[in-house]
Amino acid sequence: MALFKVEGWNIDSKEICFDAARKDGKVKKSRKERKEYQQKLAEQRRNGGASEVAEKNKEEEKADFEVEDDGETETPAEEKKPVEKKQKKRKAEEVESTSQAVTTTKKPLTALQQKMLAKLTGSRFRWINEQLYTISSDEALKLIKEQPQLFDEYHDGFRSQVQSWPENPVDVFVEQIRFRANKPVNAPGGLPGLKDKTIVVADMGCGEAQLALDINNFFKDYNKKAKKFNKRSCKVHSFDLKKANERVTVADIKNVPLADESCTIVVFCLALMGTNFLDFVNEAYRILAPRGELWIAEIKSRFADGKGEEFVNALKLQGFFHKNTDDSNKMFTRFEFFKPPQDIIEERKAKLERRQKFIEVETEKEELQKKRQKVPEGKWLLKPCIYKRR
């Protein structure tokens, strides 16, 4: 006789029954439990004393064994594949959700951390800047091809520098185009164009090609408002060491993929960075059409003589005629040159011969070339723009 009775327990049979729980469908035995239970039943049968409860649960145990799978039962090979795929997919989803959670819950930087990050970024920018000013253009192209992230890091730092400038030379060039576009192409004071009056600009060392974006937007708006006979056709080519966007063509700017005399304006906006920058100037002369213009903006501190006169003379020896120098800005000096047509070249040559200065000029050209071969012009004609170490 049992002293007490608890639902789900049978003291008389000394067996644990899960009748109540099993009826609710909440409990199922594992493979190990089933094996132990079957061993007990077999022993009781041999002894002839299997309990009524055990007999009653015999069929239910069989059903449990067929339905329940705790991972220890063997699965046929053809059934394993879909199961493994599901498990891998579930695991990948868990990893992705975890990484997203880490990203979304990332704490913002403290003021001190932001200050330290700004210093590291500034130091990195100064190092890249120094590299680009102290190596040749072909070495710079190779460097950026091997480590393209340097180009992005440099321009991130450059954008930060521009924010502190009172004036951006790119904006000055765009404004100059806007002003001169109001006059007829090839007319005095107007923009230079090809024979069909198409204005073709080459932006050498364009960075992210902001000049092309601003010029294209201006002419779109201009042509919408202009009368049919006043419309302007303008095309901008942008060249740099990396394709920052769809407007940029990758090239060493001493050798760009443009035909001879195919451009009417060539721009170097803080782009005479390589030690061989006179090669860039010679390339500009090649691609410029007669009467085409060369626009240059450079940092004042780079000029060895402090005023840029030596720089102007060097470009005149490359065949350019000097039009104007604007040093009204505290940080930058802007220069305008033009490529003379053949008739003016012949006229100038005749004048020099009459004054017996032609040989003198040719001698200066030779001396400049000899000096370049010994020491690159990026070390003496324009000093490299290197920031002070902190």
Side-chain angles (χ1 to χ4, degrees):
M1 179 177 176
L3 297 177
F4 58 90
K5 185 176 182 180
V6 178
E7 186 176 359
W9 289 74
N10 190 330
I11 304 301
D12 292 337
S13 64
K14 298 179 183 180
E15 292 291 330
I16 299 175
C17 300
F18 294 89
D19 293 342
R22 188 177 287 110
K23 286 177 183 177
D24 295 334
K26 296 179 180 177
V27 178
K28 290 184 179 181
K29 292 183 176 61
S30 66
R31 188 167 180 259
K32 185 177 180 181
E33 288 174 334
R34 288 194 296 273
K35 188 175 181 181
E36 292 174 354
Y37 183 75
Q38 289 170 354
Q39 287 175 353
K40 287 182 181 179
L41 284 177
E43 186 177 350
Q44 287 175 353
R45 287 193 188 99
R46 284 195 298 270
N47 297 332
S51 66
E52 293 180 2
V53 175
E55 290 293 338
K56 181 180 177 182
N57 291 338
K58 184 176 181 181
E59 292 301 320
E60 295 180 16
E61 279 297 327
K62 185 178 180 183
D64 284 349
F65 181 78
E66 292 172 352
V67 176
E68 179 70 9
D69 182 11
D70 61 354
E72 297 178 14
T73 57
E74 191 169 357
T75 307
E78 60 271 14
E79 295 179 7
K80 280 185 178 180
K81 292 182 180 179
V83 172
E84 289 175 356
K85 286 182 180 179
K86 287 181 180 179
Q87 290 175 345
K88 288 180 180 179
K89 184 178 179 182
R90 185 165 57 249
K91 188 173 182 180
E93 289 174 350
E94 289 174 357
V95 171
E96 185 178 356
S97 62
T98 303
S99 63
Q100 289 176 352
V102 170
T103 303
T104 54
T105 57
K106 187 176 180 180
K107 294 182 180 179
L109 297 177
T110 64
L112 179 60
Q113 289 172 329
Q114 290 176 355
K115 188 175 180 180
M116 292 175 66
L117 180 61
K119 284 187 176 181
L120 289 172
T121 304
S123 297
R124 182 71 169 168
F125 166 72
R126 288 190 290 274
W127 180 84
I128 300 170
N129 181 76
E130 182 173 338
Q131 299 304 306
L132 296 176
Y133 271 103
T134 56
I135 59 178
S136 64
S137 58
D138 52 349
E139 291 173 320
L141 182 60
K142 182 180 178 182
L143 176 67
I144 297 302
K145 282 184 176 179
E146 292 174 351
Q147 302 181 63
Q149 74 279 4
L150 294 181
F151 185 89
D152 301 322
E153 291 179 49
Y154 173 80
H155 283 284
D156 286 342
F158 183 77
R159 279 193 298 272
S160 178
Q161 294 286 323
V162 170
Q163 292 175 3
S164 63
W165 294 350
E167 184 180 67
N168 188 340
V170 170
D171 298 333
V172 177
F173 287 140
V174 174
E175 188 58 37
Q176 186 174 358
I177 286 175
R178 286 174 179 165
F179 176 76
R180 293 176 63 179
N182 292 316
K183 295 185 178 181
V185 176
N186 291 330
L191 291 168
L194 299 175
K195 290 181 180 180
D196 62 357
K197 296 188 177 181
T198 300
I199 303 159
V200 183
V201 181
D203 185 8
M204 312 285 262
C206 64
E208 296 170 315
Q210 185 64 41
L211 183 70
L213 181 63
D214 291 345
I215 290 175
N216 290 334
N217 288 339
F218 164 71
F219 277 105
K220 282 180 183 178
D221 294 338
Y222 179 90
N223 287 329
K224 284 180 182 178
K225 300 173 184 178
K227 295 179 180 180
K228 187 175 181 180
F229 56 84
N230 282 334
K231 291 185 183 294
R232 303 282 185 262
S233 176
C234 181
K235 185 173 183 179
V236 184
H237 300 282
S238 303
F239 301 102
D240 214 320
L241 301 174
K242 182 184 175 182
K243 192 174 182 65
N245 51 58
E246 71 282 355
R247 298 186 295 276
V248 181
T249 300
V250 176
D252 181 345
I253 55 175
K254 73 176 183 181
N255 183 24
V256 296
L258 291 176
D260 294 354
E261 301 185 353
S262 58
C263 298
T264 60
I265 301 173
V266 174
V267 178
F268 289 98
C269 186
L270 310 180
L272 300 177
M273 297 180 72
T275 55
N276 59 322
F277 69 82
L278 283 180
D279 291 338
F280 312 162
V281 173
N282 291 330
E283 181 69 351
Y285 190 91
R286 179 187 73 81
I287 64 176
L288 273 174
R291 298 188 185 278
E293 297 183 11
L294 173 63
W295 297 356
I296 297 174
E298 265 305 332
I299 300 169
K300 284 187 173 182
S301 60
R302 292 196 66 193
F303 299 110
D305 61 358
K307 296 181 180 180
E309 292 178 358
E310 186 180 8
F311 174 75
V312 169
N313 289 335
L315 266 67
K316 288 167 69 175
L317 291 175
Q318 308 307 310
F320 283 100
F321 278 26
H322 179 232
K323 282 182 65 178
N324 183 46
T325 296
D326 181 0
D327 60 356
S328 58
N329 188 284
K330 292 182 179 180
M331 294 180 64
F332 313 105
T333 301
R334 291 190 304 108
F335 303 91
E336 290 182 25
F337 300 85
F338 78 95
K339 178 179 178 177
Q342 191 60 37
D343 58 339
I344 294 181
I345 292 175
E346 294 297 331
E347 183 182 336
R348 183 172 181 269
K349 183 178 177 182
K351 285 183 179 179
L352 290 173
E353 287 176 346
R354 285 197 301 269
R355 296 176 184 176
Q356 298 181 347
K357 288 187 176 182
F358 180 75
I359 297 175
E360 183 180 332
V361 171
E362 291 300 314
T363 302
E364 287 181 19
K365 287 182 181 179
E366 291 177 4
E367 290 177 352
L368 176 61
Q369 291 302 320
K370 288 179 181 179
K371 190 172 182 179
R372 287 184 66 201
Q373 291 172 1
K374 292 180 180 179
V375 183
E377 62 272 19
K379 294 185 178 180
W380 55 271
L381 185 55
L382 282 183
K383 297 183 291 185
C385 181
I386 299 176
Y387 293 86
K388 294 180 180 179
R389 301 186 184 277
R390 298 178 184 178

